[in-house]
Short mmCIF file of all heavy atoms in Angstrom, two decimals:
data_model
loop_
_atom_site.label_atom_id
_atom_site.label_comp_id
_atom_site.label_asym_id
_atom_site.label_seq_id
_atom_site.Cartn_x
_atom_site.Cartn_y
_atom_site.Cartn_z
N VAL A 13 67.70 230.47 73.89
CA VAL A 13 67.66 230.26 75.37
C VAL A 13 66.85 229.02 75.64
O VAL A 13 65.78 228.91 75.16
CB VAL A 13 67.07 231.45 76.13
CG1 VAL A 13 67.05 231.17 77.63
CG2 VAL A 13 67.87 232.74 75.78
N VAL A 14 67.37 228.17 76.43
CA VAL A 14 66.66 226.88 76.81
C VAL A 14 66.33 226.83 78.30
O VAL A 14 67.17 227.09 79.13
CB VAL A 14 67.44 225.62 76.41
CG1 VAL A 14 66.77 224.33 76.93
CG2 VAL A 14 67.72 225.59 74.90
N VAL A 15 65.08 226.61 78.60
CA VAL A 15 64.59 226.46 79.96
C VAL A 15 64.05 225.05 80.08
O VAL A 15 63.20 224.63 79.24
CB VAL A 15 63.55 227.44 80.34
CG1 VAL A 15 63.11 227.30 81.77
CG2 VAL A 15 64.05 228.88 80.11
N ILE A 16 64.42 224.27 81.07
CA ILE A 16 63.90 222.92 81.25
C ILE A 16 63.25 222.74 82.63
O ILE A 16 63.53 223.46 83.60
CB ILE A 16 65.03 221.91 81.12
CG1 ILE A 16 65.94 221.87 82.30
CG2 ILE A 16 65.72 222.02 79.84
CD1 ILE A 16 66.90 220.69 82.39
N ARG A 17 62.25 221.81 82.64
CA ARG A 17 61.72 221.29 83.89
C ARG A 17 62.24 219.86 83.94
O ARG A 17 61.92 219.05 83.01
CB ARG A 17 60.18 221.23 83.87
CG ARG A 17 59.60 220.60 85.13
CD ARG A 17 58.07 220.82 85.20
NE ARG A 17 57.38 220.06 84.12
CZ ARG A 17 57.08 218.80 84.12
NH1 ARG A 17 57.33 218.03 85.20
NH2 ARG A 17 56.38 218.21 83.18
N PRO A 18 63.13 219.52 84.87
CA PRO A 18 63.95 218.26 84.77
C PRO A 18 63.14 216.94 84.97
O PRO A 18 63.28 216.28 85.94
CB PRO A 18 65.01 218.43 85.92
CG PRO A 18 64.32 219.32 86.88
CD PRO A 18 63.44 220.22 86.12
N LYS A 19 62.35 216.56 84.06
CA LYS A 19 61.53 215.33 84.08
C LYS A 19 62.40 214.15 83.59
O LYS A 19 63.01 214.25 82.49
CB LYS A 19 60.29 215.51 83.25
CG LYS A 19 59.45 214.18 83.12
CD LYS A 19 58.20 214.42 82.27
CE LYS A 19 57.52 213.12 81.86
NZ LYS A 19 57.00 212.35 83.07
N ASP A 20 62.37 213.07 84.31
CA ASP A 20 62.93 211.80 83.88
C ASP A 20 64.43 212.07 83.53
O ASP A 20 65.20 212.59 84.29
CB ASP A 20 62.14 211.22 82.75
CG ASP A 20 62.48 209.78 82.41
OD1 ASP A 20 63.03 209.13 83.32
OD2 ASP A 20 62.19 209.38 81.32
N VAL A 21 64.86 211.79 82.32
CA VAL A 21 66.24 211.90 81.82
C VAL A 21 66.53 213.22 81.11
O VAL A 21 67.52 213.33 80.48
CB VAL A 21 66.66 210.73 80.93
CG1 VAL A 21 66.56 209.38 81.71
CG2 VAL A 21 65.74 210.66 79.71
N LEU A 22 65.59 214.17 81.21
CA LEU A 22 65.74 215.42 80.36
C LEU A 22 67.04 216.13 80.71
O LEU A 22 67.73 216.58 79.75
CB LEU A 22 64.53 216.28 80.63
CG LEU A 22 64.58 217.69 79.96
CD1 LEU A 22 64.76 217.53 78.47
CD2 LEU A 22 63.19 218.42 80.18
N GLU A 23 67.41 216.27 81.96
CA GLU A 23 68.63 217.08 82.25
C GLU A 23 69.84 216.39 81.76
O GLU A 23 70.77 216.97 81.22
CB GLU A 23 68.69 217.32 83.81
CG GLU A 23 69.81 218.31 84.16
CD GLU A 23 69.66 218.79 85.67
OE1 GLU A 23 68.82 218.23 86.39
OE2 GLU A 23 70.40 219.69 85.98
N SER A 24 69.83 214.99 81.90
CA SER A 24 71.01 214.26 81.33
C SER A 24 71.06 214.40 79.84
O SER A 24 72.20 214.56 79.30
CB SER A 24 70.81 212.78 81.69
OG SER A 24 70.84 212.56 83.05
N LEU A 25 69.92 214.41 79.10
CA LEU A 25 69.98 214.66 77.66
C LEU A 25 70.63 215.99 77.33
O LEU A 25 71.47 216.08 76.42
CB LEU A 25 68.56 214.56 77.08
CG LEU A 25 67.88 213.20 77.06
CD1 LEU A 25 66.41 213.31 76.76
CD2 LEU A 25 68.54 212.36 76.00
N CYS A 26 70.21 217.07 78.00
CA CYS A 26 70.82 218.36 77.80
C CYS A 26 72.33 218.38 78.01
O CYS A 26 73.07 218.92 77.26
CB CYS A 26 70.12 219.46 78.63
SG CYS A 26 68.40 219.75 78.13
N GLN A 27 72.73 217.78 79.13
CA GLN A 27 74.13 217.73 79.50
C GLN A 27 74.94 216.93 78.48
O GLN A 27 75.99 217.39 78.07
CB GLN A 27 74.30 217.17 80.93
CG GLN A 27 73.72 218.05 82.01
CD GLN A 27 73.65 217.39 83.34
OE1 GLN A 27 73.82 216.13 83.43
NE2 GLN A 27 73.42 218.17 84.43
N ASN A 28 74.42 215.79 78.06
CA ASN A 28 75.14 214.93 77.12
C ASN A 28 75.22 215.63 75.78
O ASN A 28 76.21 215.35 75.03
CB ASN A 28 74.42 213.56 76.98
CG ASN A 28 74.58 212.74 78.21
OD1 ASN A 28 75.39 212.93 79.08
ND2 ASN A 28 73.66 211.77 78.40
N ALA A 29 74.32 216.44 75.48
CA ALA A 29 74.29 217.13 74.16
C ALA A 29 75.09 218.46 74.16
O ALA A 29 75.20 219.16 73.21
CB ALA A 29 72.89 217.43 73.69
N GLY A 30 75.53 218.84 75.37
CA GLY A 30 76.29 220.05 75.53
C GLY A 30 75.38 221.30 75.33
O GLY A 30 75.81 222.33 74.78
N MET A 31 74.10 221.21 75.73
CA MET A 31 73.09 222.30 75.54
C MET A 31 72.97 223.02 76.84
O MET A 31 72.40 222.49 77.87
CB MET A 31 71.77 221.67 75.14
CG MET A 31 70.68 222.69 74.87
SD MET A 31 69.07 221.91 74.47
CE MET A 31 69.39 221.19 72.91
N PRO A 32 73.39 224.30 76.90
CA PRO A 32 73.16 225.11 78.11
C PRO A 32 71.71 225.29 78.42
O PRO A 32 70.93 225.41 77.52
CB PRO A 32 73.91 226.41 77.78
CG PRO A 32 74.74 226.18 76.61
CD PRO A 32 74.07 225.06 75.87
N TYR A 33 71.37 225.45 79.65
CA TYR A 33 69.92 225.59 80.02
C TYR A 33 69.77 226.26 81.30
O TYR A 33 70.65 226.27 82.23
CB TYR A 33 69.26 224.23 80.10
CG TYR A 33 69.86 223.23 81.00
CD1 TYR A 33 69.51 223.16 82.33
CD2 TYR A 33 70.85 222.34 80.57
CE1 TYR A 33 70.07 222.30 83.26
CE2 TYR A 33 71.45 221.47 81.43
CZ TYR A 33 71.03 221.45 82.80
OH TYR A 33 71.66 220.51 83.68
N TYR A 34 68.65 226.90 81.55
CA TYR A 34 68.10 227.28 82.84
C TYR A 34 67.21 226.13 83.36
O TYR A 34 66.50 225.46 82.56
CB TYR A 34 67.17 228.48 82.77
CG TYR A 34 67.96 229.82 82.47
CD1 TYR A 34 68.07 230.34 81.18
CD2 TYR A 34 68.50 230.61 83.52
CE1 TYR A 34 68.69 231.57 80.94
CE2 TYR A 34 69.11 231.78 83.28
CZ TYR A 34 69.22 232.30 82.00
OH TYR A 34 69.87 233.47 81.74
N LYS A 35 67.27 225.89 84.63
CA LYS A 35 66.37 224.88 85.18
C LYS A 35 65.42 225.46 86.17
O LYS A 35 65.67 226.23 87.07
CB LYS A 35 67.21 223.79 85.95
CG LYS A 35 66.40 222.67 86.53
CD LYS A 35 67.33 221.44 86.99
CE LYS A 35 68.23 221.90 88.10
NZ LYS A 35 68.95 220.69 88.66
N VAL A 36 64.09 225.15 86.01
CA VAL A 36 63.03 225.62 86.90
C VAL A 36 62.60 224.46 87.67
O VAL A 36 62.83 223.27 87.44
CB VAL A 36 61.90 226.29 86.22
CG1 VAL A 36 62.33 227.48 85.43
CG2 VAL A 36 61.18 225.31 85.21
N LYS A 37 61.81 224.77 88.74
CA LYS A 37 61.38 223.76 89.70
C LYS A 37 60.53 222.64 89.01
O LYS A 37 59.80 222.90 88.14
CB LYS A 37 60.49 224.42 90.81
CG LYS A 37 60.12 223.50 91.92
CD LYS A 37 59.21 224.26 92.91
CE LYS A 37 59.98 225.35 93.59
NZ LYS A 37 59.18 226.02 94.65
N ASN A 38 60.81 221.37 89.49
CA ASN A 38 60.02 220.23 88.96
C ASN A 38 58.70 220.13 89.71
O ASN A 38 58.58 220.60 90.85
CB ASN A 38 60.81 218.98 89.04
CG ASN A 38 60.36 217.90 88.09
OD1 ASN A 38 59.45 218.13 87.27
ND2 ASN A 38 60.96 216.72 88.05
N ARG A 39 57.77 219.49 89.09
CA ARG A 39 56.45 219.27 89.72
C ARG A 39 56.56 218.36 90.94
O ARG A 39 57.31 217.33 90.80
CB ARG A 39 55.49 218.72 88.77
CG ARG A 39 54.06 218.64 89.22
CD ARG A 39 53.09 218.21 88.12
NE ARG A 39 53.42 216.95 87.58
CZ ARG A 39 53.11 216.56 86.32
NH1 ARG A 39 52.49 217.42 85.53
NH2 ARG A 39 53.40 215.30 85.93
N PRO A 40 55.96 218.62 92.03
CA PRO A 40 56.02 217.67 93.14
C PRO A 40 55.42 216.34 92.85
O PRO A 40 54.49 216.21 92.06
CB PRO A 40 55.25 218.45 94.27
CG PRO A 40 54.37 219.43 93.59
CD PRO A 40 55.07 219.75 92.27
N GLN A 41 55.96 215.34 93.56
CA GLN A 41 55.48 213.97 93.30
C GLN A 41 54.04 213.80 93.69
O GLN A 41 53.25 213.15 92.93
CB GLN A 41 56.32 212.97 94.10
CG GLN A 41 57.74 212.80 93.54
CD GLN A 41 57.83 212.19 92.18
OE1 GLN A 41 57.12 211.25 91.83
NE2 GLN A 41 58.53 212.81 91.31
N LYS A 42 53.59 214.39 94.80
CA LYS A 42 52.24 214.26 95.20
C LYS A 42 51.66 215.71 95.14
O LYS A 42 52.17 216.61 95.72
CB LYS A 42 52.12 213.78 96.68
CG LYS A 42 52.59 212.36 96.83
CD LYS A 42 52.44 211.88 98.19
CE LYS A 42 52.84 210.42 98.36
NZ LYS A 42 52.71 209.89 99.76
N TRP A 43 50.57 215.84 94.32
CA TRP A 43 49.98 217.17 94.12
C TRP A 43 48.47 217.04 93.85
O TRP A 43 48.02 216.29 93.02
CB TRP A 43 50.64 217.81 92.94
CG TRP A 43 50.74 217.08 91.68
CD1 TRP A 43 51.59 216.05 91.40
CD2 TRP A 43 49.83 217.09 90.57
NE1 TRP A 43 51.33 215.49 90.16
CE2 TRP A 43 50.24 216.11 89.59
CE3 TRP A 43 48.71 217.97 90.24
CZ2 TRP A 43 49.60 215.96 88.42
CZ3 TRP A 43 48.06 217.65 89.11
CH2 TRP A 43 48.47 216.72 88.17
N GLY A 44 47.76 217.82 94.62
CA GLY A 44 46.30 217.92 94.39
C GLY A 44 46.07 219.22 93.58
O GLY A 44 47.07 219.79 93.04
N LEU A 45 44.82 219.59 93.37
CA LEU A 45 44.55 220.75 92.55
C LEU A 45 45.15 222.01 93.22
O LEU A 45 45.72 222.83 92.46
CB LEU A 45 43.02 220.89 92.48
CG LEU A 45 42.53 221.84 91.37
CD1 LEU A 45 43.05 221.40 90.00
CD2 LEU A 45 40.99 221.94 91.44
N PHE A 46 45.14 222.12 94.51
CA PHE A 46 45.69 223.34 95.11
C PHE A 46 47.27 223.33 94.90
O PHE A 46 47.88 224.35 94.59
CB PHE A 46 45.40 223.27 96.62
CG PHE A 46 46.05 224.42 97.31
CD1 PHE A 46 45.55 225.72 97.27
CD2 PHE A 46 47.15 224.22 98.10
CE1 PHE A 46 46.15 226.79 97.93
CE2 PHE A 46 47.77 225.23 98.85
CZ PHE A 46 47.32 226.53 98.74
N GLY A 47 47.90 222.14 95.16
CA GLY A 47 49.32 222.02 95.00
C GLY A 47 49.69 222.38 93.53
O GLY A 47 50.75 222.99 93.34
N LEU A 48 48.94 221.87 92.60
CA LEU A 48 49.27 222.17 91.15
C LEU A 48 49.16 223.67 90.92
O LEU A 48 50.00 224.24 90.21
CB LEU A 48 48.29 221.44 90.26
CG LEU A 48 48.44 221.68 88.70
CD1 LEU A 48 49.80 221.33 88.28
CD2 LEU A 48 47.37 220.98 88.00
N GLY A 49 48.19 224.33 91.49
CA GLY A 49 48.00 225.77 91.29
C GLY A 49 49.15 226.54 91.87
O GLY A 49 49.73 227.49 91.25
#
């Protein structure tokens, strides 16, 4: 089972390789310590 956080070209790599995956939320662009938590 593959789970990804779609950073940069990661999702494209999985798709091009024919690798099925679950996708979880990506980290927000702006995040402080509270946002990261």
Side-chain angles (χ1 to χ4, degrees):
V13 178
V14 174
V15 180
I16 70 166
R17 175 173 67 85
K19 175 181 170 61
D20 195 20
V21 296
L22 177 53
E23 191 166 10
S24 296
L25 287 169
C26 292
Q27 292 170 347
N28 291 340
M31 181 185 290
Y33 57 88
Y34 288 96
K35 181 168 66 172
V36 298
K37 185 180 297 184
N38 204 358
R39 187 172 62 204
Q41 290 296 314
K42 294 182 179 180
W43 51 279
L45 195 57
F46 176 77
L48 177 60

